[in-house]
Amino acid sequence: MNKPVLDVLGRGRCVPPPVWLMRQAGRYLPEYRAMRARAGDFLDLVFTPEFAAEVTLQPVRRFGFDAAILFSDILVIPHALGQKVRFAAGEGPLLEPLENRGAFERIAGELDHAVLEPVYETIRRVKGELPGTTTLLGFCGAPWTVATYMIGGRGTPDQAPARLFGYRDRVGMDTLIDVLVDASASYLVRQLEAGADAVQIFDTWAGVLSPEEFQRWSIEPTRRIAEQVRRAVPAARIIGFPRGAGTKLADYADHAAVDAVGLDWMVDRAFVRERIQARLPVQGNLDPLVLVAGGAALDRAVDTVLEAFADGPFVFNLGHGIMPETPIAHVEQMLRRVRGRP
Ligand code: CP3
């Protein structure tokens, strides 16, 4: 059976375009909040396959999205490398910060796949329950983005601690990135072997890098992950999402070895059409806030995205994760608008 998202990743065009949303399993859904309350801790939810599979399937059942994205988090990688990670209510992730090279030399160089086994089991369970046309996506964080949380210990508005670290100890940053390249590649390979149809690499903090550092710590590591993954799984499809890259997306599309490029809502659409979508499928890029706003502004914004990209290989998505305060009726309105067009 055909999977429209996979067809697009293979450079096909689908009418209407397939659609899924980043962070589609999350707090805007009452059934997610109920499951989260039952599981207690966020990491318990992630590492209990029965719960994680259920939460992965919830948005697909409710909205009929064309892809399910594995319910997990990018920070399971530092966790499986031996760094303490916790999710405090209302605060987001908190890690024991790696302040200097000495601190991260204590982190294991090898990923502990036993810790991650529940993630692979979640994929096997979801795979057995999905409609034949729904693509199952695995994911990981890009090394730079994961490194920013490992070094700073938390999210900050500009991830200054990791940028400072990179300027003060470039070799140290290279070493950490190298560890994360190998860990991420083997993690993605296991996900694909467990049944993921494709994977996405989230580089949420790519936009804070200067062009030189973007080349070194976003494009190069992503390319190495893609090459390592394809060595093990030659047919692997990989979406790269370097949020905030702007015109640096052109270099990313040319050199990161990804099959498709995820777009944030800030990027110039004409530039993307000419410079990116002419070569590679694109995915995005509705502003998550216009989905919160709804009404005529939402209809207008959906139309603008479709007019820009629906003529070519395109997966409709948000430009970043869905906000917890998003009304469900607005998601339904968006889907009618995307799917109602010829
Ligand atoms: O997309 C999906 O539905 C799959 C699940 C998913 C989660 N995190 C679940 C989650 C995915 C793909 C991620 C990726 C992720 N995690 C990224 C990259 C994408 C992005 O959004 O930028 C990053 C930077 C993280 C790290 C992270 N995890 C942060 C900053 C937070 C706190 C922010 C928040 O929304 O609370 C998390 C927690 C987290 N990961 C939640 C979910 C559903 C909320 C936790 C809760 O239920 O309380």
Side-chain angles (χ1 to χ4, degrees), residues 22-25 27 32 36 42 69-74 87 92-93 139 149 202 204 320:
M22 291 189 273
R23 291 279 187 96
Q24 64 189 18
R27 286 163 293 179
Y32 172 85
R36 174 87 164 76
F42 178 75
I69 181 157
L70 162 71
F71 186 79
S72 182
D73 197 84
I74 64 168
F87 288 83
F139 73 93
Y149 288 96
F202 285 88
T204 302
H320 195 201

Coordinates of all heavy atoms in Angstrom, one line a residue, residues 22-25 27 32 36 42 69-74 87 92-93 139 149 202 204 320, ligand 1:
M22 N 4.7 18.4 13.9 CA 5.7 18.2 14.9 C 5.1 18.3 16.3 O 4.3 19.2 16.5 CB 6.9 19.2 14.7 CG 7.6 18.9 13.4 SD 9.2 19.8 13.2 CE 8.5 21.3 12.4
R23 N 5.5 17.5 17.2 CA 5.0 17.4 18.5 C 3.5 17.1 18.5 O 2.8 17.6 19.4 CB 5.2 18.7 19.3 CG 6.7 18.9 19.7 CD 7.1 18.1 20.9 NE 8.4 18.5 21.3 CZ 8.6 19.4 22.3 NH1 7.7 20.0 22.9 NH2 9.9 19.6 22.6
Q24 N 3.0 16.3 17.5 CA 1.6 16.1 17.4 C 1.0 15.3 18.6 O -0.2 15.4 18.9 CB 1.2 15.4 16.1 CG 1.8 14.0 15.9 CD 1.6 13.5 14.5 OE1 1.3 14.3 13.6 NE2 1.7 12.2 14.3
A25 N 1.9 14.5 19.3 CA 1.5 13.8 20.5 C 1.9 14.8 21.7 O 3.1 14.9 21.9 CB 2.2 12.5 20.6
R27 N 0.6 17.9 24.9 CA -0.4 18.4 25.9 C -1.6 19.1 25.4 O -2.5 19.4 26.2 CB 0.4 19.4 26.9 CG 1.3 18.6 27.8 CD 2.3 19.5 28.4 NE 3.2 20.0 27.4 CZ 4.2 20.9 27.6 NH1 4.4 21.4 28.8 NH2 5.0 21.3 26.6
Y32 N -3.7 12.8 25.8 CA -2.3 12.8 26.2 C -2.2 13.1 27.7 O -1.4 12.5 28.4 CB -1.5 13.7 25.3 CG -0.1 13.9 25.8 CD1 0.9 13.0 25.4 CD2 0.3 14.9 26.7 CE1 2.2 13.1 25.9 CE2 1.6 15.1 27.2 CZ 2.5 14.2 26.8 OH 3.8 14.3 27.3
R36 N -0.3 11.0 30.5 CA 0.8 11.6 31.2 C 0.6 11.5 32.7 O 1.5 11.2 33.4 CB 1.0 13.0 30.7 CG 2.0 13.9 31.3 CD 3.3 13.7 30.7 NE 4.2 14.8 31.0 CZ 4.9 14.9 32.2 NH1 4.7 13.9 33.1 NH2 5.7 15.9 32.4
F42 N 7.7 12.0 33.0 CA 7.8 12.1 31.5 C 8.6 10.9 31.0 O 8.3 10.3 30.0 CB 8.4 13.4 31.1 CG 8.6 13.5 29.6 CD1 7.5 13.7 28.7 CD2 9.8 13.4 29.0 CE1 7.7 13.8 27.4 CE2 10.0 13.5 27.7 CZ 8.9 13.7 26.8
I69 N 4.6 10.0 14.6 CA 6.0 10.2 15.0 C 6.2 9.5 16.4 O 5.4 9.8 17.3 CB 6.5 11.6 15.0 CG1 8.0 11.7 15.4 CG2 5.7 12.6 15.8 CD1 8.8 12.9 14.9
L70 N 7.2 8.6 16.4 CA 7.5 8.0 17.7 C 7.4 8.9 18.8 O 8.0 10.0 18.8 CB 9.0 7.4 17.5 CG 9.7 7.1 18.8 CD1 9.1 5.8 19.4 CD2 11.2 6.9 18.5
F71 N 6.8 8.5 19.9 CA 6.8 9.4 21.1 C 8.0 9.0 21.9 O 8.2 8.0 22.5 CB 5.5 9.1 22.0 CG 5.5 10.1 23.1 CD1 5.1 11.4 22.9 CD2 6.0 9.8 24.4 CE1 5.2 12.4 23.9 CE2 6.0 10.7 25.4 CZ 5.6 12.0 25.2
S72 N 8.9 10.0 22.0 CA 10.1 9.9 22.8 C 10.7 11.3 23.0 O 9.9 12.2 22.9 CB 11.2 9.0 22.0 OG 12.3 8.9 22.8
D73 N 12.0 11.5 23.2 CA 12.5 12.8 23.3 C 14.0 12.8 22.8 O 14.6 11.7 22.9 CB 12.5 13.3 24.7 CG 12.7 14.8 24.7 OD1 11.7 15.6 24.5 OD2 13.8 15.3 24.9
I74 N 14.5 13.9 22.3 CA 15.8 13.9 21.8 C 16.8 13.7 23.0 O 18.0 13.3 22.7 CB 16.2 15.2 21.1 CG1 16.1 16.4 22.0 CG2 15.3 15.4 19.9 CD1 16.7 17.7 21.4
F87 N 12.9 15.7 33.7 CA 11.9 16.7 33.2 C 11.1 17.2 34.4 O 10.3 16.5 34.9 CB 11.0 16.0 32.2 CG 11.8 15.7 30.9 CD1 12.5 14.6 30.8 CD2 11.7 16.6 29.8 CE1 13.2 14.3 29.6 CE2 12.4 16.3 28.6 CZ 13.2 15.2 28.5
G92 N 10.6 22.2 31.8 CA 11.3 21.6 30.7 C 12.4 20.7 31.2 O 12.5 20.4 32.4
P93 N 13.3 20.3 30.3 CA 14.4 19.3 30.6 C 15.5 20.0 31.5 O 15.8 21.1 31.3 CB 14.9 18.9 29.3 CG 14.6 19.9 28.3 CD 13.4 20.6 28.8
F139 N 13.1 9.4 15.1 CA 13.8 10.7 15.1 C 14.9 10.7 16.1 O 15.0 9.8 17.0 CB 12.8 11.9 15.4 CG 12.4 11.9 16.9 CD1 13.1 12.7 17.8 CD2 11.3 11.2 17.3 CE1 12.7 12.7 19.2 CE2 10.9 11.3 18.7 CZ 11.6 12.0 19.6
Y149 N 21.9 21.2 25.0 CA 21.3 20.8 26.3 C 22.3 20.2 27.2 O 22.2 20.3 28.5 CB 20.1 19.9 26.0 CG 18.9 20.7 25.4 CD1 18.7 20.7 24.1 CD2 18.0 21.4 26.2 CE1 17.7 21.4 23.5 CE2 17.0 22.1 25.6 CZ 16.8 22.1 24.3 OH 15.8 22.8 23.7
F202 N 16.2 16.5 14.2 CA 15.8 17.8 14.7 C 17.0 18.7 15.1 O 17.6 18.4 16.1 CB 14.9 17.7 15.9 CG 13.5 17.2 15.7 CD1 13.2 15.8 15.6 CD2 12.4 18.1 15.5 CE1 11.9 15.4 15.4 CE2 11.1 17.6 15.2 CZ 10.9 16.3 15.2
T204 N 17.0 21.9 16.3 CA 16.2 23.0 16.8 C 17.0 24.3 17.0 O 16.5 25.4 16.8 CB 15.6 22.6 18.1 OG1 14.8 21.4 17.8 CG2 14.7 23.7 18.7
H320 N 7.4 24.6 13.6 CA 8.0 24.1 14.8 C 6.9 23.3 15.5 O 5.8 23.2 15.0 CB 8.6 25.2 15.7 CG 9.5 24.7 16.7 ND1 9.8 25.5 17.8 CD2 10.3 23.6 16.9 CE1 10.7 24.8 18.6 NE2 11.0 23.7 18.0
Ligands
CP3_1 O1 6.6 15.1 17.9 C1 6.1 14.3 18.6 O2 4.9 14.2 18.9 C2 7.0 13.2 19.2 C3 7.6 13.5 20.5 C4 8.7 14.5 20.7 C5 8.9 15.1 22.0 N1 10.0 15.8 22.0 C6 8.0 14.9 23.2 C7 8.0 15.8 24.3 C8 9.7 15.0 19.9 C9 9.9 14.8 18.4 C10 10.5 15.8 20.7 C11 11.7 16.5 20.2 C12 12.4 17.5 21.1 N2 12.6 17.4 22.4 C13 13.1 18.6 20.6 C14 13.3 19.0 19.1 C15 12.0 19.5 18.5 C16 11.6 20.8 19.2 O3 10.5 20.9 19.6 O4 12.4 21.8 19.1 C17 13.7 19.3 21.7 C18 14.5 20.6 21.6 C19 13.3 18.5 22.8 C20 13.7 18.8 24.2 C21 12.6 19.0 25.1 N3 11.7 18.1 25.5 C22 12.1 20.3 25.6 C23 12.7 21.6 25.3 C24 11.0 20.0 26.3 C25 10.2 21.0 27.2 C26 9.3 21.9 26.3 C27 7.9 21.5 26.5 O5 7.2 21.5 25.5 O6 7.5 21.2 27.7 C28 10.7 18.6 26.3 C29 9.6 17.9 26.9 C30 8.7 17.2 25.9 N4 9.1 16.3 24.9 C31 7.3 17.2 26.0 C32 6.8 16.3 24.9 C33 5.4 16.0 24.6 C34 6.4 17.9 27.0 C35 6.5 17.1 28.3 C36 5.3 17.0 29.1 O7 4.4 16.2 28.7 O8 5.2 17.6 30.1

